[in-house]
Structures are given as structure tokens and as C-alpha cells.
Amino acid sequence: MTHETDLALIPLPVRAECRAGSPGHVALDERTTLDAGPGTHGTARWLRTALGAATGLPLADGTGPHAIRLRIAADVERELGPEGYRLSTDGSLAEAAVVIEGGSAAGVFWGAQTLRQLLGPEAHRRARVVPAGHDWDLPMVTITDAPRFRWRGLMLDVARHFMPKDDVLRQLDLMAAHKLNVLHLHLTDDQGWRIEIRRHPRLTEVGAWRARSKWGHRASPLWNETPHGGHYTQDDIREIVAYAADRHISVVPEIDVPGHSQAAIAAYPELGNTDVIDTTALSVWDTWGVSPNVLAPTDTVLRFYEGVLEEVLDLFPAEVSPFVHIGGDECPKDQWKASPTAQARIRELGVGDEDGLQAWFVRHFARWLADRGRRLVGWDEILEGGPGPGDGDGGGATGTGGAGAAARVLPEGAVVSSWRGYAGGITAAEAGHDVVMCPEQHVYLDHRQAPGADEPMPIGYVRTLADVYRFEPVPPGLAPETAAHVLGTQANVWTEVMESRDRVDYQTHPRLAALAEVAWSRLPAPDHRDLAGFERRMDTHYLRLDALGVAYRPPTGPRPWQRRPGVLGRPLEGPPPNV
């Protein structure tokens, strides 16, 4: 990898070669046009909208020596893959001032993101701030670049604290600026249901609202007594998905089963274990943690959620959202143990015990989704339980039991989000299943960024910018064929203690820049990474974040208005376990 650090590009490209020459730069000015080849008009539209607004340049259609030429090139796809690109600037070129060639439309778009970074932080604003007549200078450079991983994601929890649609669209713009391409949208949980399902209107009429919210960690004595909630209409979801697709970002919806379901049960009490508790007395949960109220293992529940997912699949078309996340994590079994209905179902299915019953839930929806051309994703608890008799719909042994057991538990095509550490992902990959590595010890961005009392509502272990930069998604020692099952990585942003957009900004940035470089760039082993060089490039990147209006955590610590004195968190001391 060769690069020029004064370009301050994030994520770091594979190769950037600066050339001396006369002139020493290329200027974009009123003469600059856009020459968009077949398949690149989406990027041209984005450049005209975003870059045109910041620079004040018209960027009209046109060819010639002052053009930004956009092309999809077969040789770039062969050499760099579909998301790869080559960007060249040369004042002596007769045909164009800037040439961006991509292996696909996505590659061209990522090249355009690099072009904006080369123009400076002011190019990230929504209106021109420089004097009229200012030339936008580009260095003489050739950049050759392609991502390391195909899954470069951000998980955004909008169930605990609702994020309005415009804030989600803004997050998509921020992801695109960091060359991230998967938004995992956590839409349902005990504390709220956030997506309109027309055949079940009470999911949002009742399930989208809680009477109050815990202020801080669940151990905090403080409450926000204002009702909290909201949801996305189906047209909101279509808009989010289309906006993401225009930026070459896939949206992965998460609909939790069988745990994390109290909001749904509050709306439709028949979904719960009615032979154990009075589910009609339940409301949307107003505190954090893991609710004991889980779905009943009945055909009624299966049909209900099949109906939910039918509408979800319509809103998230397969060509842009091939994956559907069903949660599958943190499902307490106490109600099933006490439920005659659940116990009878265990015997009927031959699944052995309550763990087998959960595995049956997961397998049912994995097959249901596969029959409709989608791939199920679940948290690493979906490895637990065991295969059943006959066609595998029943039970048997419990526990993960290593790669062999994982291969029997999970249907073909299922993907594991490895959150409790590396272990689940390793087990799944060794069994031939694809994995997204997102261990909480490394990339949970709700975890605090520094020790000390000034960190707002401090949760978990200290995970600094440097810690995230040293995260390695592929554990050492994996055989190449096993490592190939690591699709990539994502940062997870759980919002129990993030009550506003600014709080999400604070927890997410600047660490998302480090995660983006880990996911995109071909970095050395963690101990050999150029942290000092990354921090130097971050000096410029902070200015970009300022221009984008991001309320990030400054390197010197939180600003006074970013602190939350007196609000309890749950800090964990010492280095996190590497499990």
C-alpha cells in the first residue's frame, strides 16, 4: 500500500500516487461539466446535488477538457471488483479534468466520495461558504481503491429511542461519506415497535408508545416522564430504502423473535404466554434490559409474524435488501418452562427442551425467508439448540457443540451476527455459514469512549478511537476457506442512553471513521497499524464532520453541553475480554 498522508483520506485507499507537474493542481470552476457514462447517472445526480450545493458550481452536462468523467469500466471490475474505482486528476488531459472509473455504479459512487474529500472540508457543506470566483483545487493524483469487505455496516437501534425519518436519512449520508454500505435498522423491541404493519395496526397504535422512559442506565432512579415513541409509515420506509439504494447502501430490517417482543405482546396479548401470565395487563416496556415476556410457540404466533414479514419484504425489495434480521437473542425461557402449551409443543416437535424450541423458531423463519429469496440473519444465539428428527424441524441435543452442531442447527444460507465475542462467529464460519463480526467488546459504540466522570451516561468498557482502529474482524488462525465466510463487520449503536440525535452523534463519531477504515482498507495487523498517521488524517476529518454538522466527541473530551452529570451509567473497568 502506498499513499500520501497529506491527502487526509478516510478510509485509507489502497494506493494514492501524487504527481508533480505544471500546474500542480486541477481546478474545478464554472467551466466544469459532468460527463456521465451509462449506469453512472445516479452518481452524477448526487454530485450535482451535494457537490453543486457546496461549491456553487452548476456542473452542467458536458464533455471536454473541464469535465468530470464518470465511467463503469470492465477492466476496473476485473482488477478491483465491483466496488473498486480509479480516480485520476490531470490538468494536461485533453478529454477530462477528473476521471472516475468504477467496477460498477457503486464503485463510481465511492470514487465520487473520495473526490469530495479531496476538495476539502468546505465541500461537505450544504451551501457555498467560500467567496465567489474561488477555484476548487484538486491535487494531481491517481487513486486506485477497493474495499476489503463486502459488508461494512452500522446497526442503528431506533426501537429504544425513536429516530425521526429525516435523522435516518442523515445517517445514510454520513455512512456514504465513510463508504459504509449496510444499514442494519433495529425496528422492534420490548420498548417500541417502529414500522407500520397495515394488517396489524395496533403494533404502532399501541406498540410504538411507552408512557415514560428510564433516564440513564436501568439502575438509575431517574425517569423522563414524557411519553416516548413514534414509527415509520410504509411510505417512510420506502423512502429510506430508496434513499439508501441511491447511495449504494443496503438496509437490513430487524424484526425480533421470539424474545425482545413485549411491545408486540402489549399490542396483541394473544402473542404472549397467556397460560402463564395475564398478557392483557402488559404495556410497552419503559425500562432497559431483557424483558421476561416472550412470544408463545404457537401456530397463531407463526402466522402473525409471517404476515408481518410479508409486508416487510414488500417494503424492502430483494434486489436492495436481500437480508432480513430476526434477532433471536436474549430470549428468557422461564415462561416457556412454566407454560403447559410450550411444554406440549416441545414434546410434539421433539425438540428436547426450551433451547430447542428457540432453535425451532429460528429454523422456521429461516426456511420461510429462503422460500421467498431472502437470507436470514440472527444474533449468535441462533447457533444454540439442536437439530430435530426427519427434516430438521425438531430438536435433539442442546448447546452449540462446535461447528458440527452449528451446521446442523442453522439452515443453509443463514448468517450469524457475532456479538458476544468472536467465538460464535468462528463456530459459524467453521460450519460454513457467513458471519458479520460485531463483538460488543470492540465495536459497540454505546460503550464509553474514555474513563472519567465527564463521559455522559458511561456504559461498558472504555473503547477509544485507537481501540476501534485496532479492531480486526478476522480472528487470527482461521483457515483461508473459513476466513472467507467473514462477510465483514459493523458498528452497533444501541440507544438506551441516547435520547437524541446529538447523543447518537457523540457516541458514534469519531469512532465510526475508525470502523470504516477497518472495514474498507487493507490494514496491517492491529499492532502494526499506523495509528499516528490515522490521527493526523483525523485532524482534517474533524473539519469534515464540523461541516456536516456532526456533534462528535472532541479528542480533548466532551464539551460542557455533551455531559450528563448525575445520570447513572454502567461502566465496566479493565480491558474487555477477548472471547
Side-chain angles (χ1 to χ4, degrees), residues 313-519:
L313 297 191
D314 181 60
L315 297 171
F316 295 85
E319 58 269 22
V320 294
S321 294
F323 299 94
V324 175
H325 206 295
I326 56 89
D329 63 316
E330 296 180 325
C331 179
K333 309 298 193 301
D334 293 343
Q335 290 184 359
W336 287 353
K337 290 177 181 177
S339 165
T341 300
Q343 293 303 309
R345 198 71 195 252
I346 289 171
R347 293 190 296 272
E348 171 196 341
L349 296 169
V351 296
D353 61 11
E354 294 77 22
D355 288 334
L357 196 59
Q358 179 171 341
W360 165 78
F361 249 107
V362 171
R363 281 194 301 273
H364 175 87
F365 286 106
R367 283 197 303 274
W368 189 92
L369 289 167
D371 289 345
R372 289 153 182 83
R374 307 301 179 95
R375 294 180 68 184
L376 175 143
V377 189
W379 303 110
D380 55 52
E381 286 94 331
I382 68 172
L383 293 165
E384 297 170 359
D391 66 358
D393 196 27
T398 62
T400 55
R408 295 191 302 273
V409 170
L410 292 184
E412 184 178 357
V415 178
V416 171
S417 299
S418 190
W419 76 274
R420 291 180 292 183
Y422 287 110
I426 293 170
T427 297
E430 289 177 342
H433 290 283
D434 288 339
V435 175
V436 177
M437 285 292 188
C438 49
E440 64 171 329
Q441 301 87 354
H442 299 277
V443 291
Y444 268 37
L445 300 188
D446 50 319
H447 284 207
R448 58 194 172 130
Q449 303 187 62
D454 284 343
E455 290 302 310
M457 303 186 199
I459 299 296
Y461 296 101
V462 172
R463 293 286 85 194
T464 65
L465 181 69
D467 291 329
V468 176
Y469 191 66
R470 293 191 180 103
F471 167 60
E472 172 51 48
V474 179
L478 288 188
E481 60 273 18
T482 301
H485 283 290
V486 179
L487 297 180
T489 184
Q490 67 183 33
N492 292 344
V493 181
W494 299 103
T495 62
E496 289 95 333
V497 297
M498 299 182 214
E499 76 288 353
S500 67
R501 187 181 85 176
D502 282 354
R503 280 286 292 123
V504 172
D505 276 4
Y506 178 91
Q507 292 297 135
T508 305
H509 299 275
R511 293 182 295 181
L512 191 66
L515 185 280
E517 185 147 311
V518 166

Side-chain angles (χ1 to χ4, degrees), residues 92-321:
S92 65
L93 289 175
E95 67 274 16
V98 180
V99 178
I100 301 175
E101 298 173 301
S104 69
V108 175
F109 182 73
W110 302 132
Q113 295 293 337
T114 298
L115 173 64
R116 182 165 70 158
Q117 288 198 13
L118 290 172
L119 286 169
E122 294 84 0
H124 292 72
R125 294 190 177 274
R126 295 185 182 182
R128 184 186 185 118
V129 297
V130 299
H134 170 83
D135 286 344
W136 294 84
D137 293 340
L138 291 165
M140 301 279 284
V141 66
T142 297
I143 295 171
T144 305
D145 201 10
R148 178 186 179 191
F149 291 111
R150 58 176 283 198
W151 187 300
R152 308 180 303 279
L154 172 71
M155 192 290 301
L156 188 61
D157 170 23
V158 296
R160 272 52 176 269
H161 276 103
F162 179 64
M163 179 171 283
K165 178 199 68 178
D166 283 354
D167 288 348
V168 177
L169 301 181
R170 173 178 175 270
Q171 287 295 326
L172 289 166
D173 281 329
L174 292 173
M175 290 176 64
H178 291 85
K179 298 187 175 73
L180 298 172
N181 69 342
V182 178
L183 174 64
H184 171 177
L185 203 54
H186 183 75
L187 289 164
T188 74
D189 215 297
D190 298 310
Q191 296 86 2
W193 185 285
R194 305 296 178 212
I195 180 172
E196 177 190 16
I197 303 297
R198 289 177 177 167
R199 71 187 71 184
H200 302 304
R202 286 177 58 84
L203 286 172
T204 48
E205 291 170 358
V206 174
W209 295 92
R210 57 180 181 264
R212 61 177 187 166
S213 298
K214 178 70 71 170
W215 181 238
H217 181 253
R218 61 180 177 270
S220 169
L222 304 176
W223 292 87
N224 183 335
E225 298 290 347
T226 302
H228 178 84
H231 74 276
Y232 308 110
T233 68
Q234 294 205 351
D235 281 345
D236 289 339
I237 292 292
R238 290 187 179 95
E239 182 180 357
I240 289 168
V241 171
Y243 196 86
D246 285 346
R247 287 148 184 79
H248 301 279
I249 297 171
S250 295
V251 184
V252 178
E254 180 176 352
I255 306 295
D256 260 309
V257 298
H260 288 289
S261 298
Q262 184 165 325
I265 297 169
Y268 291 95
E270 64 271 23
L271 299 176
N273 295 282
T274 57
D275 56 347
V276 176
I277 64 164
D278 178 10
T279 55
T280 64
L282 293 178
S283 59
V284 177
W285 215 26
D286 61 9
T287 190
W288 317 127
V290 180
S291 168
N293 297 298
V294 302
L295 298 175
T298 65
D299 289 339
T300 297
V301 169
L302 296 182
R303 301 293 88 77
F304 183 97
Y305 275 85
E306 287 169 1
V308 167
L309 289 170
E310 283 175 2
E311 295 194 27
V312 168
L313 297 191
D314 181 60
L315 297 171
F316 295 85
E319 58 269 22
V320 294
S321 294

